[in-house]
Amino acid sequence: MFLIDSHCHLDYEPMASDIKGTLRRAMDKGVNGFLTICTDLPKIPVVMDIAESHDEIFATIGVHPHEAQKTLSEKELFKVLTTEATRAKVVGFGETGLDYYYTHSPQQDQKKVFKAHIEAALECDLPLIIHTRDAEEDTIEFLKTIGKGKARGVIHCFSGSSWLRDQALELGFYISISGIITFRKAEALREVVKEVPLDKLLVETDAPYLAPEPYRGKSNEPAYVVETAKKLADLKAVNFNDLCDQTTQNFLKLFSKVILPCA
Ligand code: NI
């Protein structure tokens, strides 16, 4: 069995202070690959240090929509993203997207920053990690117009509608499932996820957030992605080991720059 946590924030506490322990607990459970996701440019040195000092950890570079207001201009951001992408451990861009639920940054700023990520993804042929909340239509519109339908990537922590699922799949995007799927009240989400083809599914923790049951309320960590994978295997009515293998294959297909030490 081999599982990959396709989205975690290893630079966030309490994981950052105990990377060794975090990795050991994950590997004890069969979680052997990690994608640590950058959320803002000042975090790049820390995120890259974590990735570059561990063979099993890969990184993305990006500016979260919450941080869009205070980042670089579109042009400067494109430059930083495409430059950072030349590093071996940078395997994607994000997390990026649109969040009209919190709107911590004005929509206009979010759109500019999202556009820069999509253009960088096309330029470097790297996948996008998409965060979308209460902004499904604009997100798809951007992927179709700016991304010209050619940008590839994943809808991370999927919690959207069947419409978003179908649109994303049509664009060739993957759907990443978080611990939310284990929550008792997430029946509607489980119905939407059930119809995602097996070869389009990824699993993630979004650690330190969103710990799955039975750890809900605790700080999340990559070891717990096992609970999400178990729930997903049940939902898709497939063997747990097969689900692990399939999501690993999917991850490696999407993040084609990743070379795992023992896969
Ligand atoms: Ni995240």
Side-chain angles (χ1 to χ4, degrees):
M1 184 203 126
F2 196 108
L3 258 177
I4 296 177
D5 184 354
S6 76
H7 188 120
C8 51
H9 301 280
L10 296 175
D11 61 316
Y12 286 41
E13 295 299 350
M15 295 176 290
S17 300
D18 183 25
I19 295 284
K20 243 179 110 178
T22 301
L23 292 191
R24 196 194 57 239
R25 288 190 296 278
M27 288 176 177
D28 282 351
K29 298 258 185 180
V31 183
N32 291 299
F34 311 84
L35 185 56
T36 194
I37 306 292
C38 181
T39 53
D40 205 359
L41 300 182
K43 298 184 176 191
I44 291 176
V46 179
V47 168
M48 289 313 298
D49 182 52
I50 293 171
E52 288 171 348
S53 43
H54 299 88
D55 289 348
E56 310 80 2
I57 304 177
F58 296 81
T60 65
I61 296 293
V63 179
H64 194 287
H66 290 344
E67 319 296 340
Q69 191 170 16
K70 53 180 180 55
T71 197
L72 301 175
S73 72
E74 209 180 305
K75 210 173 153 190
E76 289 167 323
L77 179 56
F78 175 86
K79 183 91 200 295
V80 171
L81 293 172
T82 51
T83 305
E84 292 290 337
T86 59
R87 299 166 82 154
K89 280 294 186 95
V90 174
V91 301
F93 292 123
E95 55 185 283
T96 181
L98 302 169
D99 191 317
Y100 300 167
Y101 179 79
Y102 288 109
T103 317
H104 287 327
S105 287
Q107 291 189 10
Q108 277 317 99
D109 293 330
Q110 294 189 37
K111 286 178 178 174
K112 281 183 203 158
V113 166
F114 188 25
K115 182 165 175 271
H117 284 75
I118 298 173
E119 286 171 344
L122 289 177
E123 172 79 14
C124 303
D125 189 27
L126 284 179
L128 290 160
I129 290 82
I130 306 286
H131 169 113
T132 179
R133 192 148 183 212
D134 280 3
E136 294 188 351
E137 286 174 18
D138 280 3
T139 301
I140 292 297
E141 178 70 15
F142 265 59
L143 293 176
K144 282 184 176 166
T145 54
I146 317 289
K148 302 171 189 141
K150 287 185 202 145
R152 42 197 198 95
V154 53
I155 309 291
H156 120 79
C157 194
F158 184 84
S159 60
S161 66
S162 54
W163 181 85
L164 178 66
R165 173 198 65 202
D166 294 342
Q167 292 287 315
L169 290 171
E170 208 166 291
L171 285 165
F173 269 64
Y174 289 75
I175 307 279
S176 183
I177 308 302
S178 73
I180 296 176
I181 201 163
T182 68
F183 297 173
R184 195 170 54 86
K185 286 186 176 164
E187 199 47 52
L189 174 64
R190 283 189 284 272
E191 287 306 312
V192 174
V193 168
K194 218 184 235 177
E195 305 301 322
V196 179
L198 269 176
D199 65 355
K200 286 293 175 185
L201 285 166
L202 301 181
V203 286
E204 67 170 81
T205 55
D206 205 11
Y209 309 112
L210 292 170
E213 294 291 359
Y215 307 105
R216 193 169 180 188
K218 287 180 66 176
S219 185
N220 201 359
E221 61 174 54
Y224 301 164
V225 79
V226 172
E227 304 303 325
T228 298
K230 278 184 191 160
K231 190 75 185 181
L232 191 55
D234 283 352
L235 190 62
K236 295 294 294 176
V238 295
N239 176 285
F240 172 67
N241 284 322
D242 292 345
L243 189 278
C244 296
D245 290 346
Q246 180 72 58
T247 54
T248 296
Q249 274 180 40
N250 299 344
F251 178 89
L252 294 172
K253 193 167 177 194
L254 176 61
F255 295 98
S256 45
K257 249 179 104 175
V258 168
I259 300 165
L260 279 168
C262 51

